[in-house]
Every structure is written in structure tokens, then in C-alpha cells.
Amino acid sequence: MIRKSLTALTLAAVAPLASAQTVSMCVFDVIGANGDLYNMVKDYALEMKAHGVDFNLKPYTDEGVAVGDFNAGQCDAVAATDLRTRPFNRFTGSISAVGALPTYDDLKTLLATLAQPKAAPLMKENGYEVLGIVPAGAGYLFVNDRSIDTAGELAGKRMATLDYQKDAIHMVNFVKATVVPSDITNFAGKFNNGSVDTAYAPAFAYEALELYKGIGENGGIVDYPLAQLTIQLIAKDDVLDDETAQKAREVAWGMFPQAMDLISRQEAAIPDEKWVRIPEKDIQGYQEMFRQNRLEMRDGKNGAPDVYHPKMLGLLSKIRCASNPSASECTAANRE
């Protein structure tokens, strides 16, 4: 982190300061200005000085408030999870489609593809532009009872569900669990005080939000990624010119190793006995269940909300089949 910052400062020192453009950015980090995500955005901002942009960062611990202030014009840009920024760009907001990216290698392939100049037109939608995408870690299912290790075991269980995440609500209903409406500021408290049986979050929440309290002696973390969460940087599409916006996305892609190093350390810090391993024979069934749900949420069928972008689902399918060509979905007639 320190070496990265020094490099960025050196680049900034040789930048033509007279041409610097100031851009305010609302930045979500559940820990605030001392959080790892906020510090990563600070590194991004330092590197962007070399490209003539001076980001003025403002920390938020509630991403709903951060996005609200962005919508109200209080900031020129916002950095928040793709679950919140999905309305600004449905294509990049579909990266976290349920079960669509089983590995971090697949995520790396995807983000490298999206950082290329030829992907730039897809970064613009409805007057907004994506200025960068950084991994936030896979989302895992946290349970207060280790016997809740199959979709069938979730039936009747109370599950903290973000009330603005339509795809998660659909999945919870699909497995016949009970939706307990929550937001990012209170889901951890509900899990820790026993108001819900399960919650989903990246590994950082184990320590940062003290989810080990909710796990207790009998619970655990199901070791299968439900989704790949990202932090996305969004601005009105006239804030930066096209060339600078492309540089911004390339700077964010250059931070992939830094982000993955952080995520790896967060996952490794969880005691091994807290992970609930899924038998390999069960994984194929989960993958097909997730795929059928993605198709429903692409097409808006069977009562599902149409939240996923078809082009992103197709791209994710190609990446999965390139890394695992023997998967049955790769020859399915209704392949994404």
C-alpha cells in the first residue's frame, strides 16, 4: 500500500498541475475514512493526478446516503458497491449476477476485458459513465448453524436481505427462505443478535462487522461464492472527457493486484474451522440452479425481476466456458 502510494505521488509530482481538473467524489466504506476500500480509492485518486484529475474525496459509512448525495449533485462522482450503482449501468451492475463468476481468475479475465478501450461504449448508460471497477471480494453465506449447508436447508430460515437488491430477494424466495429486509448498515447487527439465521457478505465482514459473533460456536461460512462484489466508480458522463475516462478505468484495473492481495488476506484470516466446505458433487447442482435463476432475471420470467443485462450474462458465460469447457451449460440450448 505504501509503495503504491509513493509511486502515485511521484507520478503526481511530474503532472502538469496547471491543467488539473477537480472532481468531487462521495466514497462509501463501511469503516469510513480509515477503511481499506476508502484507502484504495485514495490510491486511485493519487494516480489520477498524473492524468490531470484532482479527486476530492468525501467518506460515507452508509452507501445509500453516498448515492443519494451523488444523485442530489453534492458530488461529481460516487464510489459504491455495484449492488447500489446498478441503476446507473445495468451492464456493469450485472457483474455480481448470482453464481456467475465462480473464481477470482474468471473475475480477473472479466475486468481485464472491461478495461480495454473497445469496451468503452459499454461503460456509458443513461447519462452516466463508469470510471473504474475494483474487486470487493466474493459474497459468501454466513449461517448460525452449520447444518444449513444446502439450498434445501435454507427453507424457512430467516435471511437478512438488502431491500434494494431485487435479484437477492428473488433467490431467497426461490429457496423458500424468509426475506428479512435489511440494509448495509444493519444486516450485521441482525445476524449477530440472532434476528436472522443467515446473511451474505464478503470475508472482510467477518472481523470488520464482527460477524463471528453471529456465527458463534455452531455456525460457519459456506465456502462457495454467491457473487463477485465490486466497487464501481460512477460519474455523469460529461465530468471527464473520453480519453481521461478511459485512463481512469485503466488506473482502476491496475489496482487489481492490490485489491486481490487485500481480499486474500481477509479470507485467510478467517479460521479454517469456520468454513463449511461444499461437496464437489453438489456444486454442479448449485451452478445450474443459479444459471436458471439468472435466465429468469435476464428475461423477467416466472415472476422474476429483469435485473441482469443479456450482454453481460453472455460475456460471463464465455469466460466460464473458457476456463471450464466441459461444463454442461457450455452446450446447453439455452446458454446465456
Side-chain angles (χ1 to χ4, degrees):
M1 177 77 75
I2 293 174
R3 186 169 59 184
K4 185 94 174 178
S5 298
L6 288 173
T7 302
L9 282 170
T10 302
L11 290 171
V14 300
L17 297 178
S19 62
Q21 174 187 1
T22 299
V23 176
S24 60
M25 182 186 290
C26 301
V27 181
F28 165 70
D29 187 312
V30 71
I31 307 300
N34 294 321
D36 290 324
L37 289 176
Y38 185 84
N39 280 313
M40 201 164 355
V41 178
K42 281 175 66 177
D43 285 345
Y44 168 89
L46 283 169
E47 295 215 30
M48 283 305 296
K49 285 179 181 287
H51 300 290
V53 182
D54 187 3
F55 278 104
N56 182 18
L57 307 183
K58 183 178 179 182
Y60 288 76
T61 56
D62 185 330
E63 67 175 343
V65 178
V67 172
D69 278 5
F70 172 60
N71 280 326
Q74 299 296 311
C75 307
D76 302 315
V78 64
T81 67
D82 53 78
L83 305 180
R84 274 289 189 185
T85 62
R86 184 177 286 159
F88 302 114
N89 190 304
R90 187 183 178 201
F91 176 72
T92 60
S94 299
I95 291 174
S96 60
V98 59
L101 284 173
T103 71
Y104 287 130
D105 284 343
D106 287 347
L107 178 64
K108 182 179 182 180
T109 301
L110 173 68
L111 297 189
T113 302
L114 298 185
Q116 295 178 10
K118 64 182 181 183
L122 294 165
M123 299 298 110
K124 291 190 178 187
E125 195 172 295
N126 300 324
Y128 296 93
E129 183 162 18
V130 179
L131 300 182
I133 306 172
V134 180
Y140 297 104
L141 187 66
F142 288 67
V143 297
N144 61 7
D145 181 344
R146 294 177 68 87
S147 67
I148 309 174
D149 59 354
T150 66
E153 296 289 347
L154 285 168
K157 302 299 182 185
R158 300 162 300 169
M159 189 166 183
T161 310
L162 302 180
D163 49 15
Y164 50 85
Q165 195 183 357
K166 295 179 181 177
D167 51 341
I169 292 172
H170 180 71
M171 277 300 308
V172 173
N173 288 329
F174 180 83
V175 298
K176 296 182 170 45
T178 300
V179 171
V180 179
S182 307
D183 62 42
I184 208 158
T185 65
N186 62 25
F187 83 92
K190 291 181 179 179
F191 182 65
N192 290 341
N193 68 23
S195 298
V196 298
D197 304 299
T198 70
Y200 52 92
F204 88 90
Y206 181 81
E207 282 289 344
L209 301 181
E210 301 181 328
L211 293 191
Y212 55 83
K213 292 182 177 177
I215 289 174
E217 294 296 320
N218 301 319
I221 305 164
V222 179
D223 185 21
Y224 187 80
L226 296 176
Q228 294 290 347
L229 303 176
T230 59
I231 296 295
Q232 299 195 6
L233 287 67
I234 309 288
K236 293 278 184 68
D237 69 8
D238 58 355
V239 167
L240 298 183
D241 61 68
D242 287 351
E243 182 179 355
T244 308
Q246 177 58 31
K247 288 293 182 186
R249 289 189 287 272
E250 291 171 4
V251 166
W253 161 238
M255 302 182 73
F256 183 86
Q258 180 183 354
M260 288 310 306
D261 179 62
L262 175 64
I263 292 165
S264 297
R265 284 188 279 114
Q266 291 167 340
E267 294 187 352
I270 296 174
D272 189 62
E273 66 271 18
K274 296 300 181 184
W275 291 100
V276 180
R277 310 297 178 187
I278 300 294
E280 190 64 32
K281 63 180 177 58
D282 292 345
I283 288 179
Q284 286 189 8
Y286 282 115
Q287 290 174 338
E288 182 58 21
M289 179 184 75
F290 289 142
R291 193 178 75 89
Q292 292 298 333
N293 272 271
R294 289 195 300 271
L295 291 172
E296 290 182 356
M297 289 188 276
R298 179 193 66 186
D299 303 331
K301 292 183 176 178
N302 297 329
D306 53 344
V307 293
Y308 295 150
H309 195 292
K311 195 174 187 69
M312 175 57 78
L313 291 193
L315 176 58
L316 297 174
S317 173
K318 289 178 181 176
I319 291 172
R320 289 195 306 275
C321 287
S323 62
N324 183 19
S326 63
S328 58
E329 67 160 313
C330 302
T331 55
N334 63 346
R335 181 178 168 183
E336 290 160 271

